[in-house]
Coordinates of all heavy atoms in Angstrom, one line a residue:
M14 N 94.7 87.0 84.7 CA 94.0 88.3 84.4 C 93.5 88.9 85.7 O 93.0 88.3 86.6 CB 92.8 88.0 83.5 CG 93.2 87.7 82.1 SD 92.6 88.9 81.0 CE 91.0 88.3 80.7
A15 N 93.6 90.2 85.8 CA 93.2 90.9 87.0 C 92.5 92.2 86.5 O 92.8 92.8 85.5 CB 94.3 91.2 87.9
Y16 N 91.5 92.6 87.3 CA 90.8 93.9 87.0 C 90.8 94.8 88.2 O 90.8 94.3 89.3 CB 89.3 93.5 86.6 CG 89.2 92.5 85.5 CD1 89.1 91.2 85.8 CD2 89.3 92.9 84.2 CE1 89.0 90.2 84.7 CE2 89.2 92.0 83.2 CZ 89.1 90.7 83.4 OH 89.0 89.8 82.4
S17 N 90.8 96.1 87.9 CA 90.8 97.1 89.0 C 89.4 97.5 89.3 O 88.5 97.4 88.5 CB 91.6 98.3 88.6 OG 93.0 97.9 88.4
T18 N 89.2 98.0 90.5 CA 88.0 98.6 90.9 C 87.5 99.7 89.9 O 88.3 100.5 89.5 CB 88.1 99.3 92.3 OG1 88.5 98.2 93.2 CG2 86.9 99.9 92.8
G19 N 86.3 99.6 89.5 CA 85.7 100.6 88.6 C 85.7 100.1 87.1 O 85.1 100.7 86.3
E20 N 86.4 99.0 86.9 CA 86.4 98.4 85.5 C 85.1 97.6 85.3 O 84.4 97.3 86.3 CB 87.6 97.5 85.3 CG 88.9 98.3 85.1 CD 90.0 97.4 84.7 OE1 90.0 96.9 83.6 OE2 91.0 97.3 85.4
K21 N 84.8 97.4 84.0 CA 83.6 96.6 83.7 C 84.0 95.4 82.9 O 84.0 95.3 81.7 CB 82.7 97.5 82.9 CG 82.1 98.7 83.6 CD 81.2 99.5 82.6 CE 80.7 100.7 83.3 NZ 79.8 101.5 82.5
P22 N 84.5 94.4 83.6 CA 85.0 93.2 82.9 C 83.9 92.2 82.5 O 84.1 91.2 81.9 CB 85.8 92.5 84.0 CG 85.2 92.9 85.3 CD 84.6 94.3 85.1
G23 N 82.6 92.6 82.8 CA 81.5 91.7 82.4 C 81.0 90.9 83.5 O 81.6 90.8 84.6
N24 N 79.9 90.2 83.3 CA 79.3 89.4 84.4 C 80.1 88.2 84.7 O 80.8 87.6 83.9 CB 77.8 89.1 84.1 CG 77.7 88.3 82.9 OD1 78.6 88.2 82.1 ND2 76.5 87.8 82.6
G25 N 80.1 87.8 86.0 CA 80.8 86.7 86.4 C 81.2 86.8 87.9 O 80.7 87.8 88.5
T26 N 81.9 85.9 88.4 CA 82.3 86.0 89.8 C 83.8 86.4 89.9 O 84.6 85.9 89.1 CB 82.2 84.6 90.5 OG1 80.8 84.2 90.3 CG2 82.6 84.6 91.9
Y27 N 84.1 87.3 90.8 CA 85.4 87.8 91.0 C 85.8 87.7 92.5 O 85.0 87.7 93.3 CB 85.5 89.3 90.5 CG 85.2 89.4 89.1 CD1 83.9 89.5 88.6 CD2 86.2 89.3 88.1 CE1 83.5 89.5 87.3 CE2 85.9 89.3 86.7 CZ 84.6 89.4 86.3 OH 84.3 89.4 85.0
I28 N 87.1 87.6 92.7 CA 87.6 87.4 94.0 C 88.6 88.4 94.4 O 89.5 88.7 93.6 CB 88.2 86.0 94.2 CG1 87.1 84.9 94.0 CG2 88.9 85.8 95.5 CD1 87.6 83.5 94.1
C29 N 88.4 89.0 95.6 CA 89.4 90.1 96.0 C 90.8 89.4 96.2 O 90.9 88.4 96.9 CB 88.9 90.6 97.4 SG 90.1 91.8 98.1
K30 N 91.7 90.0 95.6 CA 93.1 89.5 95.6 C 93.7 89.6 97.0 O 94.7 89.0 97.4 CB 94.0 90.2 94.6 CG 95.0 89.4 93.9 CD 95.6 90.2 92.8 CE 96.8 89.4 92.2 NZ 97.4 90.2 91.1
V31 N 93.1 90.5 97.8 CA 93.7 90.8 99.2 C 93.1 89.8 100.2 O 93.9 89.2 100.9 CB 93.5 92.2 99.6 CG1 93.9 92.5 101.0 CG2 94.2 93.2 98.6
C32 N 91.8 89.7 100.3 CA 91.2 89.0 101.4 C 90.4 87.7 100.9 O 89.9 87.0 101.7 CB 90.3 89.9 102.2 SG 88.8 90.4 101.3
G33 N 90.2 87.6 99.6 CA 89.4 86.4 99.1 C 87.9 86.6 99.1 O 87.2 85.6 98.7
Q34 N 87.4 87.8 99.4 CA 86.0 88.0 99.3 C 85.5 87.9 97.8 O 86.1 88.4 96.9 CB 85.7 89.5 99.8 CG 84.3 89.9 99.6 CD 83.3 89.2 100.6 OE1 83.7 88.9 101.7 NE2 82.1 88.9 100.1
K35 N 84.4 87.2 97.7 CA 83.8 87.0 96.4 C 82.8 88.1 96.1 O 82.0 88.5 97.0 CB 83.1 85.7 96.2 CG 84.1 84.5 96.1 CD 83.3 83.2 95.9 CE 84.2 82.0 95.9 NZ 83.4 80.8 95.8
V36 N 82.7 88.6 94.8 CA 81.7 89.5 94.4 C 81.2 89.0 93.1 O 81.9 88.6 92.2 CB 82.2 90.9 94.3 CG1 81.3 91.8 93.4 CG2 82.4 91.6 95.6
V37 N 79.8 88.9 92.9 CA 79.2 88.5 91.7 C 78.7 89.7 90.9 O 77.9 90.5 91.5 CB 78.1 87.5 92.0 CG1 77.4 87.1 90.7 CG2 78.6 86.3 92.7
L38 N 79.1 89.8 89.7 CA 78.5 90.8 88.8 C 77.5 90.1 87.9 O 77.9 89.1 87.2 CB 79.6 91.5 88.0 CG 80.7 92.3 88.7 CD1 81.6 93.0 87.7 CD2 80.1 93.2 89.7
D39 N 76.3 90.5 88.0 CA 75.3 89.8 87.1 C 74.9 90.6 85.9 O 73.9 90.2 85.2 CB 74.1 89.4 88.0 CG 73.5 90.5 88.8 OD1 73.8 91.7 88.5 OD2 72.8 90.3 89.7
D40 N 75.6 91.7 85.7 CA 75.2 92.4 84.5 C 76.5 92.9 83.8 O 77.5 93.3 84.5 CB 74.3 93.6 84.9 CG 73.7 94.3 83.7 OD1 74.4 94.9 82.9 OD2 72.5 94.2 83.6
N41 N 76.5 92.9 82.5 CA 77.7 93.4 81.8 C 78.1 94.8 82.0 O 79.2 95.3 81.7 CB 77.6 93.1 80.3 CG 77.9 91.6 80.0 OD1 78.6 91.0 80.7 ND2 77.2 91.1 78.9
T42 N 77.1 95.6 82.5 CA 77.4 97.0 82.7 C 77.8 97.3 84.1 O 78.1 98.5 84.5 CB 76.1 97.9 82.4 OG1 75.0 97.5 83.2 CG2 75.8 97.7 80.9
D43 N 77.8 96.3 85.0 CA 78.2 96.5 86.4 C 79.7 96.8 86.5 O 80.5 96.2 85.7 CB 77.9 95.3 87.3 CG 76.4 95.2 87.6 OD1 75.7 96.2 87.4 OD2 76.0 94.2 88.2
T44 N 80.1 97.7 87.4 CA 81.5 97.9 87.6 C 82.0 97.2 88.9 O 81.2 97.0 89.8 CB 81.8 99.4 87.8 OG1 81.0 99.9 88.9 CG2 81.5 100.2 86.5
L45 N 83.2 96.9 88.9 CA 83.7 96.2 90.1 C 83.8 97.2 91.2 O 84.3 98.3 91.1 CB 85.2 95.7 89.8 CG 85.2 94.4 88.9 CD1 86.6 94.2 88.5 CD2 84.7 93.2 89.7
P46 N 83.2 96.9 92.4 CA 83.2 97.8 93.5 C 84.4 97.7 94.4 O 85.2 96.7 94.2 CB 82.0 97.2 94.3 CG 82.1 95.7 94.1 CD 82.6 95.6 92.6
P47 N 84.6 98.6 95.3 CA 85.6 98.4 96.3 C 85.3 97.2 97.1 O 84.1 96.9 97.2 CB 85.5 99.7 97.2 CG 84.9 100.7 96.3 CD 83.9 99.9 95.4
C48 N 86.2 96.5 97.6 CA 85.9 95.3 98.3 C 85.0 95.5 99.6 O 85.4 96.4 100.4 CB 87.2 94.6 98.8 SG 86.9 93.1 99.7
P49 N 83.9 94.8 99.7 CA 83.0 95.1 100.8 C 83.6 94.6 102.1 O 83.1 94.9 103.2 CB 81.7 94.3 100.5 CG 82.2 93.2 99.5 CD 83.4 93.9 98.8
K50 N 84.6 93.7 102.1 CA 85.2 93.2 103.3 C 86.4 93.9 103.8 O 86.4 94.4 104.9 CB 85.5 91.7 103.0 CG 86.0 91.0 104.3 CD 86.2 89.5 104.0 CE 86.6 88.7 105.2 NZ 86.9 87.3 104.9
C51 N 87.3 94.2 102.9 CA 88.6 94.8 103.4 C 88.6 96.3 103.0 O 89.5 97.0 103.3 CB 89.8 94.1 102.9 SG 90.1 94.1 101.1
K52 N 87.6 96.8 102.2 CA 87.4 98.2 101.9 C 88.5 98.8 101.1 O 88.6 100.0 101.0 CB 87.2 99.0 103.2 CG 86.1 98.5 104.1 CD 84.8 98.6 103.5 CE 83.7 98.2 104.5 NZ 82.4 98.1 103.9
K53 N 89.4 98.0 100.6 CA 90.5 98.6 99.8 C 89.9 99.0 98.4 O 89.1 98.3 97.8 CB 91.6 97.6 99.6 CG 92.2 97.2 100.9 CD 93.5 96.5 100.7 CE 94.2 96.0 102.0 NZ 94.3 97.1 103.0
T54 N 90.4 100.1 97.9 CA 89.9 100.6 96.7 C 90.9 100.5 95.5 O 90.5 100.7 94.4 CB 89.6 102.1 96.8 OG1 90.7 102.8 97.2 CG2 88.4 102.4 97.8
L55 N 92.1 100.1 95.8 CA 93.1 99.9 94.8 C 93.4 98.5 94.5 O 94.3 98.1 93.8 CB 94.4 100.7 95.2 CG 94.2 102.2 95.2 CD1 95.5 102.8 95.7 CD2 93.8 102.8 93.9
L56 N 92.5 97.6 95.1 CA 92.8 96.2 94.9 C 92.4 95.7 93.5 O 91.8 96.4 92.7 CB 92.0 95.4 95.9 CG 90.5 95.6 95.9 CD1 89.8 94.7 94.8 CD2 89.9 95.2 97.3
H57 N 92.9 94.5 93.2 CA 92.5 93.9 92.0 C 91.5 92.8 92.2 O 91.6 92.1 93.2 CB 93.8 93.4 91.3 CG 94.6 94.4 90.7 ND1 96.0 94.3 90.7 CD2 94.3 95.6 90.2 CE1 96.5 95.4 90.2 NE2 95.5 96.2 89.8
W58 N 90.6 92.7 91.3 CA 89.7 91.5 91.3 C 90.2 90.5 90.2 O 90.6 90.9 89.1 CB 88.3 92.0 91.0 CG 87.7 92.9 92.0 CD1 87.7 94.2 92.0 CD2 87.0 92.5 93.2 NE1 87.0 94.7 93.1 CE2 86.6 93.6 93.9 CE3 86.7 91.2 93.8 CZ2 85.9 93.6 95.1 CZ3 86.1 91.2 95.0 CH2 85.7 92.4 95.6
V59 N 90.1 89.3 90.5 CA 90.5 88.3 89.6 C 89.4 87.2 89.5 O 88.7 86.9 90.4 CB 91.8 87.6 90.0 CG1 93.0 88.6 89.8 CG2 91.8 87.1 91.4
P60 N 89.3 86.6 88.3 CA 88.3 85.5 88.1 C 88.7 84.3 89.0 O 89.9 84.1 89.2 CB 88.4 85.2 86.6 CG 89.0 86.4 86.0 CD 89.9 87.0 87.0
P61 N 87.8 83.6 89.5 CA 88.1 82.5 90.4 C 89.1 81.5 89.9 O 89.9 81.0 90.7 CB 86.8 81.8 90.7 CG 85.8 82.9 90.4 CD 86.4 83.7 89.3
C62 N 89.1 81.2 88.6 CA 89.9 80.1 88.1 C 91.4 80.5 88.2 O 92.3 79.7 88.0 CB 89.5 79.8 86.7 SG 89.7 81.2 85.6
T63 N 91.7 81.8 88.4 CA 93.1 82.2 88.4 C 93.7 82.4 89.8 O 94.8 82.8 90.0 CB 93.3 83.5 87.6 OG1 92.6 84.5 88.3 CG2 92.8 83.3 86.2
V64 N 92.9 82.2 90.8 CA 93.3 82.6 92.2 C 93.4 81.4 93.1 O 93.3 81.6 94.3 CB 92.4 83.6 92.8 CG1 92.6 84.9 92.1 CG2 90.9 83.2 92.8
V65 N 93.5 80.2 92.6 CA 93.5 79.0 93.5 C 94.6 79.2 94.5 O 94.5 78.8 95.7 CB 93.8 77.8 92.6 CG1 94.0 76.5 93.5 CG2 92.6 77.5 91.7
F66 N 95.8 79.8 94.1 CA 96.9 79.8 95.0 C 96.7 80.8 96.2 O 97.5 80.9 97.0 CB 98.2 80.1 94.3 CG 98.1 81.4 93.5 CD1 98.6 82.6 94.1 CD2 97.7 81.5 92.2 CE1 98.5 83.8 93.3 CE2 97.6 82.6 91.5 CZ 98.1 83.8 92.0
F67 N 95.6 81.6 96.1 CA 95.4 82.5 97.2 C 94.7 81.8 98.4 O 94.6 82.4 99.5 CB 94.5 83.7 96.8 CG 95.2 84.7 95.9 CD1 94.9 84.8 94.6 CD2 96.2 85.5 96.5 CE1 95.6 85.7 93.8 CE2 96.9 86.4 95.7 CZ 96.6 86.5 94.3
Y68 N 94.3 80.6 98.2 CA 93.7 79.9 99.4 C 94.7 79.1 100.1 O 95.5 78.3 99.5 CB 92.6 78.9 98.8 CG 91.4 79.7 98.2 CD1 91.2 79.7 96.9 CD2 90.5 80.4 99.0 CE1 90.2 80.4 96.3 CE2 89.5 81.1 98.5 CZ 89.3 81.1 97.1 OH 88.3 81.7 96.6
H69 N 94.9 79.4 101.4 CA 95.9 78.8 102.1 C 95.4 77.6 103.0 O 94.3 77.7 103.4 CB 96.6 79.8 103.1 CG 97.2 80.9 102.3 ND1 98.3 80.8 101.5 CD2 96.9 82.2 102.2 CE1 98.6 81.9 100.9 NE2 97.7 82.8 101.4
Ligands
ZN2 ZN1 89.1 92.4 100.1

């Protein structure tokens, strides 16, 4: 499962698919921000359990 910037997938931890930056949403009404590290706005955020293979 992946979510785009601006979506509201609910609270939880998400990881930038591009650079691995973690972002925590602590409220169900929070939207996924652009990545604070790589600044990409079209990236996808994914829950940590699905991105193990992004760690090299
Ligand atoms: Zn990033």
Side-chain angles (χ1 to χ4, degrees):
M14 285 245 275
Y16 304 96
S17 298
T18 298
E20 288 190 63
K21 297 179 182 179
N24 57 351
T26 302
Y27 298 87
I28 294 180
C29 175
K30 216 170 172 181
V31 175
C32 70
Q34 175 70 36
K35 285 184 186 175
V36 162
V37 176
L38 300 185
D39 50 16
D40 194 292
N41 280 331
T42 60
D43 282 350
T44 55
L45 285 169
C48 179
K50 188 174 179 183
C51 66
K52 308 293 185 188
K53 296 194 184 304
T54 57
L55 294 176
L56 56 82
H57 288 145
W58 294 96
V59 289
C62 60
T63 64
V64 290
V65 174
F66 59 92
F67 286 110
Y68 295 107
H69 298 292

